[in-house]
Amino acid sequence: MKNKFSTGFWEFVAGIVLRNRVTILAIIGILTAFLVYQWRNVGMTYNEANLLPQDHIVNKQYTQFLNTFGEEGNLVVIGVKDDAFFTPNSYFAWNELMNTLKKQKEVELIISLNDLKKLQKDTINQKFVLADLIDQSKTTNPEYLQQIKQQLFNDLPFYEGLLFNKKSGSIRAAVYINKKIVNSPLRKKFILNSLVPAIKKYEKATGIDLRVSGMPYIRTINTENMKGEIGLFIGAALFITSLIFFLFFRSIRATFISVCILLFGVMWSFGTLGLFHYKITILTAIIPPLIIVIGITNCIFLINKYQQEIQNHGNQAKALQRVISKIGVSTLMTNTTTAIGFATFMITGNELLYEFGLVTSINVIIVYLLTLVVVPIVYSYMPIPTEKHLKHLSRNYISSFLNWVESVVKTKRTVIYVIYGLFLIFSVIGVTQMKVSGSLIGEMPKSASFFKDILFFEKEFNGVMPLEIMINTKRKKGVMKPATIRKMDELQQTIESIPELSKPVSIVNLVKYSKQAYYNGNPEYYQLPTSQEQTFILGYAKNATKNSKDNLMKSYVDKTGQYARITTFMKDIGTEEMENVEKKLQTKINKIFPADRYEVTVTGKALVFQKGTTYLVHNLIESLIFAIFLIALLMAYMFRSLKMIFASIVTNILPLCITSGLMGYFGIPLKPSTILVFSIAFGISVDNAIQFMAKYRHDLIHNKGKIKKAVFSALRETGVSTFYTSIVLIFGFAIFTLSSFGGTIALGGLISVTLTFAMFANLLVLPALVLTVEKWSGRREILSEPVINVLRDKAVDDELENK
C-alpha cells in the first residue's frame, strides 16, 4: 500500500481526473456557485488598519484613551487662504456652507468663523458667557467684515492655530463628525453625498478654492480610490498575462483556457473573502490580481508539458496522463512554497496581514488544483495540437537563449561566481544605507487632490495627524488644580517649540482665555492667572464649563475631572523623526509630572501607526526567515540533500540582497509595503529552483549518475518554462505600478525587479552551483526513499515507452 501510494499516487490522481471529467466539472461549478453566493459578505473596510496586536502596550494605551475621550479621528477641517474671503459674497456663501453642514445629523459640532463665540464676563452671575463674535445683520458691510478680521487675528489668540494662521491669513473651520459613525458606512455617505457637494457649491459660487482634510475625509476618498483600482488591477493583470501567454504559445485556445481558469480563480478569491467575512483592505484588494499573475504560471507549466509530450510521441491520452503525473508533484511543491511565502504573514500578529496571508495562501493552492484538473479535462475534449501549436517549442530565439545559458554554465562558472560576489558586496553596502520609515499618509496617492490639501494644512497649521497626550491626575477634579494647569502649560510650551507639531489645544487654553475675558478681552492677558487671580478666575471658568451645550472644552476633560488631554497635530514625518519627537516629549513629561502623582501617556493615531510600522518591519523580517526555513524543510524532504538545499537557497537569496541594496542606494525605506516584497518574491522565485532540481534528480537516475548530462538536460527542459513564467510574473507584478498608492507601487515594482534577478540566478547560478558542489563531493546525493521510488519508476517507464 505504501509503495503504491508513493510510486503511483500521481498516476492514480491522473486516472481519477480523466475518468471522472464531467463529475469534476460539475463539482467545480457547484463550488463556484457557492463561493459567488458568498460575495454578498464582501464589502469595503471602514476601519483604519491597526499594525499592532491588540495586546500590545501601545494599543492598550490608545484603547484607554478612546474609552476615556471617545474616537479622536472625527475631525474634518475646511481651509481657505484668499484675500477675498472677508467680503460679503464669500462670507454669505461660507455661512450657507456651514449652516448646511450643521443641519446634517452626522455632524456633532462645528467651530467656524460665522458662528464663532467669544468669552465675556458676567459679573452678576460670576461666570463667563459665550457671546457671538459676529453680528450677522452687518455682514453685508465690507468694512465690518474687515473689522472682524482684525479682531480675530489680533484679539483672539485662543483660536490661533485652531482656526487661523495669523502670519499667512489662512482660515479654517473644524467639523466634528459624530463619533459613532466614524467607522461605519454612514461616514462615507456624509462625506460623498453631503460634504463634497456643499464644498463644490461654495467654490462655484465664489471662485475660491477650499482645502479639505482630516482623517474621516482622507479615509473615505482613499477607500473610493482603492475600490476603483480593484477593477483596474484585475483587467490589467488579465490583459498583460494573456497577451504574453499568447505571444509565447501563439494559441488562441490555450490562451482562452488559461483566462477562463484565472477568472474562476478570481471568483473563488472574492468568495473566500466573503466566506471568512473579511472586508476589502489595501492588501486584500490585490489578492485577485495576484491570483491571476501566480495562476498563469501553472497554466504555462502544464500546457507547455502537454505540448512537449505531444511533440515527442503524439499520444494524447499518454500526454494528458503525464501532465498530471509528472508536473503534478513539482507544481505542488512550487505552489506550496509560494503559499508558504504568503502564509508566514499570519505569524506577524497583525490582523490585516493575517487576513491577507490566509486568503492568498489558500487561493494559491486552489488555483493550482483548478489548473491541475481543468487543463487536462478541457484538452481531453479537444483535438490534438497541430504543428502550428507546437512551433513555439523550437523557436530560434528560445533555442539561442538556452544555448547561450548552457555555454556560460559550461565554460564560465568562475565568471558567474565573481559577478555573484560583486553583486553581494554591492548589496551589503546598499543595505547599510537602508532606513525604517512609515507614516499614516505616506502611502497615499501623491497625485490625489486631497494629498495637496494635506500639504496645505501641513504648511499652514503644521499637519492633520492627531497626536494625543492623556494626563491622569489619579484623583477626581484633579485637572483643575492650579498645579496641574501650570504643569500642562509647561508641557504645551515644549510642544510649541517642536517644529513638527502644531499649536496644542487643552483646558489650559480655556483657562488663559478666561483671564483674557476677565480683563475685558484684552489679548495681553491671554495667560495663566497668577496665584492671586486664580481663585476667582478659575471659579468663573468652572462655572462656564458646567451644563453648557456650547462648552468649548468639553472634549478635553473627562466627566470626573480626573483625566485631561492635550491635542496637537503632527506633520507627515518619518519613523526616526517621530522617535526624536517622542523622546523630547517623554523627557519633559518625566521632568515635570511626578510618577507617583500623575500618569501621562503619549498616544494618538499618528504614534500608534509609527510604532506599528517599526513592530511590523521587525516581525516581517522574522516571517521572511521563517519562510526560508519552511521552504528549506520542504526541499529537505523532497531531496534529502543539504548541498541541493544550499544551492537552491543561496541562488534565490541573492536577488533579495540585490533588491535590498537598490532600496538603500535609491533611498527607498523599509516599511510595511516594501518589507512584504521579500517573503512574496522568495516564495515565488524558489519555484523555478524546485522545478529544475526535481527534473535534475529525475534525469540523474535516468542517466545513471552522469551529473553534467543530467544538469544540462534539466536546464534544457525547464529553461523554457522558467523563462516563460518569469517574464509573465515580472510583467504581471509590474501592473501594480499603475496604482496611485505608493505602497502598492513599491510592492509591484520591487517584486518585478527581484524576480528579474531571480530568473537569471536560476538559469545561470543554480546549474553552476549544482555542478560545482557535485564535483566537490565526487558522489551522488542520497534522496528520500519516496522520491527515489517515484523517480526510479518513472525512469523505467520512460525507457519502456521510448522502446
Side-chain angles (χ1 to χ4, degrees), residues 585-636:
L585 291 175
Q586 203 60 56
T587 300
K588 190 66 175 180
I589 289 169
N590 294 338
K591 181 179 178 181
I592 62 178
F593 288 98
D596 59 328
R597 293 166 52 197
Y598 297 93
E599 182 181 343
V600 183
T601 305
V602 181
T603 185
K605 289 187 185 297
L607 182 69
V608 171
F609 187 86
Q610 297 285 359
K611 294 288 187 182
T613 296
T614 303
Y615 171 86
L616 198 56
V617 167
H618 292 157
N619 276 268
L620 284 170
I621 291 173
E622 292 178 7
S623 75
L624 171 60
I625 295 170
F626 188 56
I628 294 172
F629 175 72
L630 285 180
I631 291 170
L633 281 182
L634 187 65
M635 296 177 71

Side-chain angles (χ1 to χ4, degrees), residues 65 67-71 74 107-111 130 158 162 176-179 479-480 505-511 541-542 544-567:
F65 170 82
N67 291 337
T68 305
F69 292 103
E71 173 64 45
N74 66 326
V107 174
E108 190 175 79
L109 173 69
I110 293 181
I111 302 177
L130 292 170
F158 174 76
L162 179 65
Y176 291 90
I177 297 177
N178 190 320
K179 295 174 181 178
V479 171
M480 294 305 294
V505 179
S506 74
I507 189 65
V508 172
N509 301 63
L510 181 59
V511 172
K542 289 177 182 178
T545 60
K546 288 180 180 179
N547 303 319
S548 176
K549 184 179 178 181
D550 296 322
N551 179 8
L552 293 175
M553 291 287 109
K554 65 180 180 180
S555 296
Y556 291 89
V557 180
D558 80 317
K559 294 179 181 179
T560 66
Q562 179 176 330
Y563 293 89
R565 70 190 276 197
I566 299 174
T567 299

Side-chain angles (χ1 to χ4, degrees), residues 598-713:
Y598 297 93
E599 182 181 343
V600 183
T601 305
V602 181
T603 185
K605 289 187 185 297
L607 182 69
V608 171
F609 187 86
Q610 297 285 359
K611 294 288 187 182
T613 296
T614 303
Y615 171 86
L616 198 56
V617 167
H618 292 157
N619 276 268
L620 284 170
I621 291 173
E622 292 178 7
S623 75
L624 171 60
I625 295 170
F626 188 56
I628 294 172
F629 175 72
L630 285 180
I631 291 170
L633 281 182
L634 187 65
M635 296 177 71
Y637 170 77
M638 187 173 182
F639 301 120
R640 292 287 176 90
S641 168
L642 290 176
K643 290 183 296 183
M644 297 302 97
I645 297 170
F646 168 79
S648 301
I649 298 297
V650 167
T651 298
N652 286 282
I653 283 181
L654 174 63
L656 304 185
C657 295
I658 294 173
T659 301
S660 302
L662 290 174
M663 288 173 62
Y665 287 118
F666 288 101
I668 302 172
L670 269 181
K671 50 187 178 180
S673 57
T674 55
I675 195 67
L676 287 175
V677 168
F678 301 103
S679 291
I680 296 174
F682 182 79
I684 294 173
S685 66
V686 81
D687 292 354
N688 289 323
I690 291 176
Q691 290 283 358
F692 172 81
M693 296 302 296
K695 180 59 180 171
Y696 163 67
R697 304 308 275 169
H698 174 274
D699 290 356
L700 187 62
I701 294 175
H702 185 77
N703 292 297
K704 300 178 181 179
K706 296 177 181 178
I707 295 171
K708 283 190 177 181
K709 190 173 182 180
V711 166
F712 292 116
S713 64

Side-chain angles (χ1 to χ4, degrees), residues 471-485 488 557-558 560-564 597-598:
I471 301 165
N472 178 9
T473 62
K474 298 184 178 181
R475 57 190 182 279
K476 291 184 178 181
K477 298 183 180 180
V479 171
M480 294 305 294
K481 297 291 183 182
T484 302
I485 297 294
M488 290 176 64
V557 180
D558 80 317
T560 66
Q562 179 176 330
Y563 293 89
R597 293 166 52 197
Y598 297 93

Side-chain angles (χ1 to χ4, degrees), residues 469-505:
I469 300 174
M470 185 172 70
I471 301 165
N472 178 9
T473 62
K474 298 184 178 181
R475 57 190 182 279
K476 291 184 178 181
K477 298 183 180 180
V479 171
M480 294 305 294
K481 297 291 183 182
T484 302
I485 297 294
R486 285 195 298 271
K487 292 178 185 296
M488 290 176 64
D489 183 47
E490 188 176 349
L491 179 57
Q492 289 192 192
Q493 291 175 23
T494 299
I495 294 173
E496 288 190 58
S497 69
I498 300 174
E500 294 86 359
L501 301 179
S502 68
K503 185 178 179 181
V505 179

Side-chain angles (χ1 to χ4, degrees), residues 766-798:
L766 181 58
L769 279 175
V770 171
L771 287 171
T772 300
V773 296
E774 292 284 24
K775 182 180 178 180
W776 286 345
S777 69
R779 60 184 178 86
R780 288 166 48 187
E781 282 292 342
I782 299 173
L783 280 71
S784 62
E785 183 181 350
V787 176
I788 290 174
N789 292 335
V790 172
L791 296 180
R792 182 182 293 117
D793 288 349
K794 286 185 177 180
V796 171
D797 290 343
D798 290 344

